[in-house]
Amino acid sequence: MNTLLFVALSGCFAAAFAAPTDKVRWCLKSDAELRKCSDLSAKAPTFACVKRDSTIDCIMAIRAGEADAITLDGGDIYTAGLNNYDLHPIIAEDYGPSSDTCYYAVAVVKKGTGFGIRDLQGKKTCHTGLGKSAGWNIPIGTLLSMDLIKWSGIEDSPVEEAVSSYFVSSCAPGAAKGSKLCELCKGDCSRSHTEPYYGYDGAFQCLKEDAGDVAFVKHLTVPESDKANYELLCKDNTRAPIDSYKDCHLARVPAHAVVTRKDPQLAELIWTSLNSVQGFDLFSSDAYPSGKNLMFKDSAVRLVQLPPNTDSFLYLGAEYMSIVRSLKREQTPAATSTAIRWCAVGHAETAKCDTWSINSMEDGNTVIECQTAPSVDDCLKKIMRGEADAMAVDGGQVYTAGKCGLVPAMVEQYDEEQCGTTGAAASSYYAVAVVKKGSGVTWETLRGKKSCHTGIGRTAGWNIPMGHIHKQTNDCDFTKFFSAGCAPGADPESPFCSQCAGSGKAVGDKSKCKASADEQYYGYAGAFRCLVDGAGDVAFIKHTIVPENSDGNGPAWASGVSSADYELICPKKGPVPVSDYISCHLAVVPAHAVVTRPERHSEVVRILQDQQTKFGTSGTDTFRMFQSESGKNLLFKDSTKCLQEITAGTSYDQFLGTDYINAITSLRECSESTPDLEKACTFHSCQQKN
């Protein structure tokens, strides 16, 4: 194909760092790849070519700034994403309707050879390369999980030894030369094109030439002319035709992706440079004798730009990451600790969490340990990775967490009478719009006004009001509706940051518009304070916030505030007193919930039930879970009376309910309203469990 179709799924990367060059230096691993790159460079001078001996040499060259990009498979994306390299995937290959940005890892055998996947012991095997997805990580991970290969762990022996004992001989390019894993190889057993049996086509050639009995490859590897002579091994020990890969495969795995350093400007240069290539087919290696899958996979049909801030973990997904870790027998901290690692956002929450941790001490061990991150989304990433276990978030964040594979474990209850009741109705609250009395601001005159929001992606402060406005205007650019505002978490250059106050401590305050308690206008009380201070004309908050921060209640800034000076507005109705929220609200929304990984649900519930018995509403002189000393709504909402268990197996959409899901689905029509984390988690289907 002479004309390439590229699909951009997200907006441009913000230019944060200067690219080191105006050329994209592609890293190549063979002479054939170098020839293809040189031909590309002649057609598109923005490309330059850098040759290294192996994938890991290319990864190191990109890390060192000696090259800029290479296309890697999932196993190598994992390696490239480790801390010592810190490369990030930015563009995925798309293989068309058969798999989009995922592909199927399959086991191919010759027809009529008469064995199933449970009969592979003593067979000869062909692998694309050591540590590669379809050729090593998935098949070996599968055989380990089926308990066919016996391996006690890295502390006793490398996994390669267990594999060598299971198969009689193999070709796994990249294995130790002279080992049984190199015995069937035709060349030097290196993980490069100097080994004829390297890669998908090499592994298939190994099978075709009868060097091996089975080839572990991807579903598009077997040429059309050969399909009738080959079959797939299925996990149920049966066989299936080559084209039945959707029902007979080892796993679905993420497509190959282009990786580079974490540099948004360089990432954008790579994307626009590839996007502008004309008169050259990136996805063909036909012009290079014996060359296959050079620079890109020959089966790719287009390239797709990944959402901003996608890292290797988010791209590969938890399921694939766990397979890689199992092969390395990497222990995550969760496997060795009985404590809950709570994730706190910002300084004030971290201070409260530290106090909780000290007070949770039992028999010399803390039951609560603290992790910290600059934002809720960063905390959710830590929970997904197993670096933290739990945190309480609002409904909008429950939605994002759910899309990323986390589950709600406990819900805040704001009605004390419901706390001792089994099966009590879950708490909910009213999302309201508050204005100053006599301001003349109504729902119908909101356009052009300044707005105060609890935070981007929050329920009462963003999702509900902006969902209403989107339905009215069908326009996703909310800066055309409000003239300015404070919506913590927005782009710092956005009008939705112009009214934010920051920490109030210094000029050039880095806390300004941050989605944490370090920003004075963050959260419910913060959004109301934004209105009180005159920074905005309307505050989108929950119904209890005005009485909690007026008439002598609340922190110092609220000391002179009278609730009678404020009123509620809602569609098709005049202003009403703030106490009249039942007749004038934007939505009834679900309470905040504690989210965790599915496998930690029961432990999180058990520990939190014990902790709230000790530190709940009665609490102690030294610590109360539902009370904030140096801020508002830290870790939990201050109005919480208790936490109630959400039955294991309850999904995020079941918890949030149909009305809320409908509202947020409408708002998600606006790409800008979807958090980067959620975009990354939903980018392709193979991030989810099979």
Side-chain angles (χ1 to χ4, degrees), residues 432-435 528 541-544 546-547 550-551 562-569 575-582 584:
V432 296
V434 182
V435 298
F528 180 47
I541 51 180
K542 63 169 277 197
H543 69 286
T544 63
V546 176
S550 61
D551 305 330
S562 169
S563 62
D565 293 335
Y566 296 87
E567 50 195 8
L568 304 180
I569 59 169
V576 303
V578 291
S579 57
D580 204 0
Y581 53 83
I582 292 175
C584 183

Side-chain angles (χ1 to χ4, degrees), residues 328-375:
K328 298 177 185 297
R329 282 293 192 263
E330 288 180 2
Q331 291 290 311
T332 56
T336 57
S337 172
T338 54
I340 294 179
R341 289 157 306 154
W342 200 266
C343 199
V345 177
H347 301 301
E349 283 208 339
T350 303
K352 179 176 176 180
C353 187
D354 288 342
T355 306
W356 186 10
S357 179
I358 292 163
N359 280 273
S360 74
M361 187 89 66
E362 288 179 4
D363 302 323
N365 296 311
T366 55
V367 177
I368 302 295
E369 295 173 0
C370 300
Q371 290 283 318
T372 186
S375 70

Side-chain angles (χ1 to χ4, degrees), residues 398-475:
V398 171
Y399 183 86
T400 296
K403 288 289 188 183
C404 291
L406 303 183
V407 295
M410 299 195 85
V411 59
E412 293 180 349
Q413 174 59 259
Y414 312 122
D415 180 355
E416 197 149 15
E417 290 181 8
Q418 300 287 337
C419 279
T421 316
T422 307
S427 261
S428 57
Y429 60 90
Y430 295 88
V432 296
V434 182
V435 298
K436 287 185 175 175
K437 195 169 190 176
S439 64
V441 178
T442 66
W443 188 265
E444 284 63 40
T445 64
L446 270 184
R447 188 184 287 271
K449 301 295 188 290
K450 299 192 293 285
S451 54
C452 302
H453 306 264
T454 58
I456 292 283
R458 296 281 297 266
T459 299
W462 186 267
N463 294 343
I464 295 300
M466 296 322 218
H468 273 286
I469 289 165
H470 178 250
K471 279 180 188 166
Q472 278 176 224
T473 63
N474 212 26
D475 190 342

Side-chain angles (χ1 to χ4, degrees), residues 587-628:
V588 182
V589 295
H592 290 206
V594 174
V595 293
T596 187
R597 296 183 304 286
E599 70 273 14
R600 290 288 277 166
H601 180 283
S602 59
E603 192 71 356
V604 166
V605 169
R606 182 187 67 76
I607 291 175
L608 284 179
Q609 283 177 333
D610 178 62
Q611 289 295 293
Q612 72 175 353
T613 300
K614 296 173 181 171
F615 306 116
T617 46
S618 53
T620 67
D621 292 338
T622 51
F623 181 72
R624 292 172 189 258
M625 284 172 66
F626 312 131
Q627 195 170 303
S628 304

Side-chain angles (χ1 to χ4, degrees), residues 14 456 487 489-497 513:
I456 292 283
D491 184 312
E493 302 303 313
S494 159
F496 283 112
C497 280
C513 206

Side-chain angles (χ1 to χ4, degrees), residues 645-674:
E645 180 178 358
I646 298 169
T647 309
T650 303
S651 64
Y652 72 95
D653 47 353
Q654 288 171 320
F655 169 73
L656 293 172
T658 307
D659 291 345
Y660 188 79
I661 292 294
N662 290 343
I664 206 164
T665 302
S666 169
L667 192 59
R668 288 300 188 260
E669 291 174 26
C670 303
S671 173
E672 297 77 16
S673 78
T674 308

